[in-house]
Amino acid sequence: MFVVKNAWKSVTRNKGRNMLIIVIVTIIAAAATIGLSIRQAAATARSSGLDNTTVTAQISLDRGKTHFRIARAVQVGFRFVRCFRQT
């Protein structure tokens, strides 16, 4: 019981210091709560944005045309390939 009485006297003796500590702790707790909520909102927005994204274009390769160009390069002695190496 002595410890509790002594602690209570310390709290009532230094009212200004204790109020300042309470205000600082409250500000830190509020800032941490707001920061965590912003982080959670950003993660939710990112995941929902990625889920709603659809592919609107497709890249493809015309293998027939590529095969024709390679065959033509072989026939002319690879001048076609050498032309690309020089530029």
Side-chain angles (χ1 to χ4, degrees), residues 22-83:
I22 290 171
V23 168
I24 291 172
V25 168
T26 304
I27 290 172
I28 291 172
T33 304
I34 291 169
L36 290 173
S37 66
I38 290 172
R39 183 176 178 186
Q40 181 64 33
T44 304
R46 181 178 183 269
S47 65
S48 67
L50 289 176
D51 291 341
N52 294 334
T53 304
T54 59
V55 176
T56 58
Q58 184 177 3
I59 299 173
S60 62
L61 176 66
D62 186 0
R63 294 181 186 270
K65 200 172 195 179
T66 305
H67 179 69
F68 174 74
R69 285 185 179 177
I70 291 173
R72 196 173 109 210
V74 169
Q75 289 174 355
V76 296
F78 288 100
R79 279 185 271 155
F80 180 74
V81 176
R82 277 189 246 130
C83 173

